[in-house]
Amino acid sequence: MLESRSVARILIADDHQLLADACKNLLEPKFKVVGIVTDGSQLASAVAEFKPDIILLDIYMPRLNGLDAGEQIKKKNPRMKLIFLTMSLEAEVVAEAFRRGASGYVLKQSAGTELLLAVHRVNRGESYLSPLIAKETVTFLLNNRGSSTEEKRITPRQIEILQLLAEGMSMKQVANVIDVKPGTVAFHKYRMMETLNISTTAELLGYAIKRQMIHA
Protein backbone atom coordinates (compact mmCIF):
# COMPACT_ATOMS: atom_id res chain seq x y z
CA MET A 1 0.00 0.00 0.00
CA LEU A 2 2.79 2.42 0.85
CA GLU A 3 4.51 1.73 -2.46
CA SER A 4 1.37 2.49 -4.50
CA ARG A 5 0.98 5.85 -2.80
CA SER A 6 4.56 6.78 -3.71
CA VAL A 7 3.94 6.41 -7.47
CA ALA A 8 3.94 9.88 -9.02
CA ARG A 9 0.73 10.98 -10.74
CA ILE A 10 1.40 12.63 -14.11
CA LEU A 11 -0.87 14.81 -16.26
CA ILE A 12 0.12 15.28 -19.92
CA ALA A 13 -0.78 18.43 -21.88
CA ASP A 14 0.07 18.35 -25.59
CA ASP A 15 -2.03 19.02 -28.68
CA HIS A 16 -0.24 16.26 -30.63
CA GLN A 17 -2.26 13.19 -29.63
CA LEU A 18 0.20 10.65 -31.01
CA LEU A 19 3.06 12.15 -29.02
CA ALA A 20 0.95 12.38 -25.89
CA ASP A 21 -0.02 8.72 -26.23
CA ALA A 22 3.62 7.74 -26.81
CA CYS A 23 4.65 9.60 -23.65
CA LYS A 24 1.87 7.87 -21.73
CA ASN A 25 3.04 4.44 -22.91
CA LEU A 26 6.65 5.27 -22.03
CA LEU A 27 5.84 6.51 -18.54
CA GLU A 28 3.13 4.13 -17.37
CA PRO A 29 5.30 1.18 -16.38
CA LYS A 30 6.92 3.39 -13.72
CA PHE A 31 4.39 6.18 -13.11
CA LYS A 32 0.62 6.73 -13.16
CA VAL A 33 -0.60 8.88 -16.06
CA VAL A 34 -3.89 10.29 -14.79
CA GLY A 35 -4.98 12.16 -17.90
CA ILE A 36 -4.20 13.87 -21.21
CA VAL A 37 -5.41 17.32 -22.29
CA THR A 38 -4.87 18.93 -25.68
CA ASP A 39 -4.84 22.67 -24.99
CA GLY A 40 -3.67 25.00 -22.27
CA SER A 41 -7.12 26.22 -21.33
CA GLN A 42 -8.14 22.71 -20.24
CA LEU A 43 -5.27 22.41 -17.79
CA ALA A 44 -6.80 24.24 -14.83
CA SER A 45 -9.89 22.03 -14.67
CA ALA A 46 -7.78 18.90 -15.32
CA VAL A 47 -5.44 19.81 -12.46
CA ALA A 48 -8.42 20.22 -10.12
CA GLU A 49 -9.87 16.89 -11.25
CA PHE A 50 -6.75 14.70 -11.38
CA LYS A 51 -4.50 16.36 -8.75
CA PRO A 52 -1.22 15.37 -10.44
CA ASP A 53 2.21 15.50 -8.84
CA ILE A 54 3.91 16.32 -12.15
CA ILE A 55 2.57 18.05 -15.25
CA LEU A 56 4.24 17.29 -18.58
CA LEU A 57 3.35 20.10 -20.96
CA ASP A 58 4.21 21.56 -24.34
CA ILE A 59 4.96 25.27 -24.72
CA TYR A 60 3.13 25.67 -28.02
CA MET A 61 -0.52 24.75 -27.40
CA PRO A 62 -3.74 26.27 -28.75
CA ARG A 63 -5.93 28.63 -26.72
CA LEU A 64 -3.37 29.11 -23.93
CA ASN A 65 0.35 28.42 -24.32
CA GLY A 66 2.20 26.21 -21.87
CA LEU A 67 4.28 29.01 -20.33
CA ASP A 68 1.24 31.00 -19.23
CA ALA A 69 -0.80 27.93 -18.30
CA GLY A 70 2.09 26.55 -16.25
CA GLU A 71 2.63 29.84 -14.45
CA GLN A 72 -1.04 30.07 -13.50
CA ILE A 73 -1.00 26.50 -12.18
CA LYS A 74 2.17 27.05 -10.11
CA LYS A 75 0.68 30.12 -8.45
CA LYS A 76 -2.30 28.09 -7.25
CA ASN A 77 -0.44 24.79 -6.71
CA PRO A 78 3.20 25.59 -5.88
CA ARG A 79 4.01 21.98 -4.95
CA MET A 80 3.13 20.63 -8.40
CA LYS A 81 6.13 20.09 -10.68
CA LEU A 82 6.26 21.23 -14.31
CA ILE A 83 8.29 19.53 -17.02
CA PHE A 84 8.21 21.28 -20.39
CA LEU A 85 8.43 18.96 -23.40
CA THR A 86 9.01 21.08 -26.49
CA MET A 87 10.92 21.64 -29.73
CA SER A 88 12.52 24.95 -28.75
CA LEU A 89 16.29 25.06 -28.22
CA GLU A 90 16.33 28.83 -27.66
CA ALA A 91 18.03 29.69 -24.38
CA GLU A 92 15.68 32.62 -23.76
CA VAL A 93 12.65 30.33 -24.02
CA VAL A 94 14.27 27.81 -21.68
CA ALA A 95 15.11 30.53 -19.16
CA GLU A 96 11.55 31.84 -19.32
CA ALA A 97 10.21 28.33 -18.66
CA PHE A 98 12.28 28.09 -15.48
CA ARG A 99 11.20 31.60 -14.46
CA ARG A 100 7.60 30.41 -14.73
CA GLY A 101 8.25 27.53 -12.36
CA ALA A 102 9.63 24.68 -14.47
CA SER A 103 11.50 21.84 -12.79
CA GLY A 104 12.46 20.19 -16.07
CA TYR A 105 12.94 20.96 -19.76
CA VAL A 106 13.06 18.11 -22.30
CA LEU A 107 13.36 18.36 -26.07
CA LYS A 108 10.84 16.42 -28.11
CA GLN A 109 13.50 15.12 -30.46
CA SER A 110 15.19 13.31 -27.57
CA ALA A 111 12.12 12.57 -25.45
CA GLY A 112 12.41 8.80 -25.71
CA THR A 113 15.83 8.72 -24.04
CA GLU A 114 15.44 11.66 -21.67
CA LEU A 115 11.85 11.73 -20.50
CA LEU A 116 12.05 8.91 -17.96
CA LEU A 117 15.26 10.33 -16.52
CA ALA A 118 13.73 13.82 -16.29
CA VAL A 119 10.61 12.57 -14.53
CA HIS A 120 12.64 10.48 -12.06
CA ARG A 121 14.83 13.46 -11.17
CA VAL A 122 11.96 15.92 -10.86
CA ASN A 123 10.02 13.43 -8.76
CA ARG A 124 13.01 13.35 -6.37
CA GLY A 125 12.94 17.12 -6.05
CA GLU A 126 15.78 17.77 -8.49
CA SER A 127 15.75 19.74 -11.76
CA TYR A 128 16.46 18.53 -15.29
CA LEU A 129 17.72 20.36 -18.40
CA SER A 130 18.31 18.60 -21.71
CA PRO A 131 22.06 18.25 -22.34
CA LEU A 132 21.53 19.64 -25.87
CA ILE A 133 20.90 23.07 -24.31
CA ALA A 134 23.80 25.18 -23.04
CA LYS A 135 23.25 25.31 -19.29
CA GLU A 136 25.68 28.21 -18.86
CA THR A 137 23.69 30.41 -21.23
CA VAL A 138 20.40 29.65 -19.49
CA THR A 139 21.97 30.33 -16.09
CA PHE A 140 23.34 33.65 -17.35
CA LEU A 141 19.91 34.72 -18.61
CA LEU A 142 18.24 33.71 -15.34
CA ASN A 143 20.79 35.61 -13.25
CA ASN A 144 20.94 38.73 -15.42
CA ARG A 145 17.34 39.50 -16.13
CA GLY A 146 17.12 43.27 -16.37
CA SER A 147 14.05 45.11 -15.18
CA SER A 148 13.74 46.61 -18.66
CA THR A 149 12.78 43.20 -20.07
CA GLU A 150 9.86 42.86 -17.70
CA GLU A 151 6.94 44.48 -19.46
CA LYS A 152 3.76 45.43 -17.70
CA ARG A 153 1.76 42.31 -17.10
CA ILE A 154 -1.56 41.61 -18.76
CA THR A 155 -4.25 39.54 -17.09
CA PRO A 156 -4.77 35.78 -17.63
CA ARG A 157 -8.04 36.53 -19.49
CA GLN A 158 -6.23 39.00 -21.75
CA ILE A 159 -3.47 36.44 -22.40
CA GLU A 160 -6.11 33.92 -23.49
CA ILE A 161 -7.76 36.47 -25.79
CA LEU A 162 -4.43 37.55 -27.26
CA GLN A 163 -3.42 33.99 -28.10
CA LEU A 164 -6.75 33.30 -29.80
CA LEU A 165 -6.44 36.51 -31.82
CA ALA A 166 -2.85 35.63 -32.71
CA GLU A 167 -4.01 32.21 -33.92
CA GLY A 168 -6.11 34.01 -36.55
CA MET A 169 -9.53 34.20 -34.92
CA SER A 170 -11.75 37.24 -35.34
CA MET A 171 -13.01 39.06 -32.26
CA LYS A 172 -16.44 37.49 -32.84
CA GLN A 173 -14.92 34.00 -33.01
CA VAL A 174 -12.92 34.64 -29.82
CA ALA A 175 -16.10 35.82 -28.12
CA ASN A 176 -17.85 32.57 -29.07
CA VAL A 177 -14.95 30.44 -27.79
CA ILE A 178 -14.72 32.08 -24.37
CA ASP A 179 -18.47 32.84 -24.14
CA VAL A 180 -18.42 36.64 -23.86
CA LYS A 181 -19.74 39.46 -26.04
CA PRO A 182 -17.55 40.70 -28.94
CA GLY A 183 -17.45 44.10 -27.28
CA THR A 184 -15.77 42.52 -24.25
CA VAL A 185 -13.06 41.06 -26.48
CA ALA A 186 -12.55 44.45 -28.12
CA PHE A 187 -12.31 46.08 -24.70
CA HIS A 188 -9.61 43.64 -23.58
CA LYS A 189 -7.73 44.01 -26.86
CA TYR A 190 -7.47 47.76 -26.55
CA ARG A 191 -6.66 47.60 -22.85
CA MET A 192 -3.75 45.27 -23.72
CA MET A 193 -2.53 47.68 -26.36
CA GLU A 194 -2.71 50.50 -23.84
CA THR A 195 -0.93 48.50 -21.12
CA LEU A 196 1.84 47.37 -23.47
CA ASN A 197 2.16 50.76 -25.18
CA ILE A 198 1.33 49.14 -28.53
CA SER A 199 -0.49 51.11 -31.24
CA THR A 200 -1.32 48.54 -33.94
CA THR A 201 -2.72 45.03 -34.20
CA ALA A 202 0.46 43.97 -36.05
CA GLU A 203 2.56 45.04 -33.06
CA LEU A 204 0.26 43.11 -30.76
CA LEU A 205 0.77 40.00 -32.92
CA GLY A 206 4.52 40.55 -32.72
CA TYR A 207 4.27 40.67 -28.93
CA ALA A 208 2.41 37.34 -28.96
CA ILE A 209 5.15 35.76 -31.08
CA LYS A 210 7.86 37.17 -28.84
CA ARG A 211 6.21 35.65 -25.78
CA GLN A 212 6.09 32.23 -27.47
CA MET A 213 2.28 32.19 -27.67
CA ILE A 214 2.42 31.01 -31.27
CA HIS A 215 5.06 29.99 -33.80
CA ALA A 216 6.45 32.81 -35.90
Side-chain angles (χ1 to χ4, degrees), residues 10-166:
I10 299 176
L11 175 64
I12 299 173
D14 197 301
D15 61 321
H16 296 93
Q17 189 67 47
L18 286 175
L19 179 63
D21 289 339
C23 290
K24 180 176 185 289
N25 292 335
L26 180 67
L27 293 168
E28 280 201 321
K30 298 288 185 180
F31 305 97
K32 183 175 179 60
V33 176
V34 294
I36 296 175
V37 297
T38 56
D39 71 61
S41 65
Q42 297 174 353
L43 261 178
S45 57
V47 165
E49 178 182 356
F50 297 117
K51 297 178 174 58
D53 302 302
I54 298 171
I55 302 170
L56 181 66
L57 68 168
D58 190 9
I59 288 179
Y60 303 104
M61 290 190 292
R63 295 198 59 184
L64 187 63
N65 66 87
L67 291 173
D68 290 316
E71 182 179 30
Q72 292 175 26
I73 288 167
K74 285 292 286 187
K75 285 180 178 178
K76 293 181 179 179
N77 309 275
R79 296 183 66 179
M80 287 184 185
K81 306 292 180 61
L82 304 178
I83 299 176
F84 285 96
L85 178 62
T86 184
M87 296 290 293
S88 182
L89 277 160
E90 296 178 41
E92 289 185 358
V93 177
V94 182
E96 188 63 22
F98 280 97
R99 289 187 194 110
R100 305 293 186 95
S103 293
Y105 195 98
V106 179
L107 296 173
K108 284 186 175 180
Q109 53 264 47
S110 54
T113 56
E114 293 184 24
L115 187 55
L116 276 173
L117 177 59
V119 173
H120 276 295
R121 287 189 180 176
V122 168
N123 192 41
R124 293 198 302 261
E126 303 170 15
S127 61
Y128 182 87
L129 176 64
S130 173
L132 293 178
I133 298 168
K135 184 177 180 180
E136 294 78 12
T137 304
V138 175
T139 301
F140 175 82
L141 290 169
L142 284 170
N143 292 337
N144 294 275
R145 186 185 190 185
S147 58
S148 61
T149 64
E150 179 62 23
E151 300 185 38
K152 294 179 181 178
R153 300 306 299 272
I154 54 180
T155 68
R157 174 58 104 185
Q158 288 170 346
I159 288 170
E160 182 179 18
I161 288 171
L162 176 54
Q163 180 163 352
L164 293 172
L165 290 171

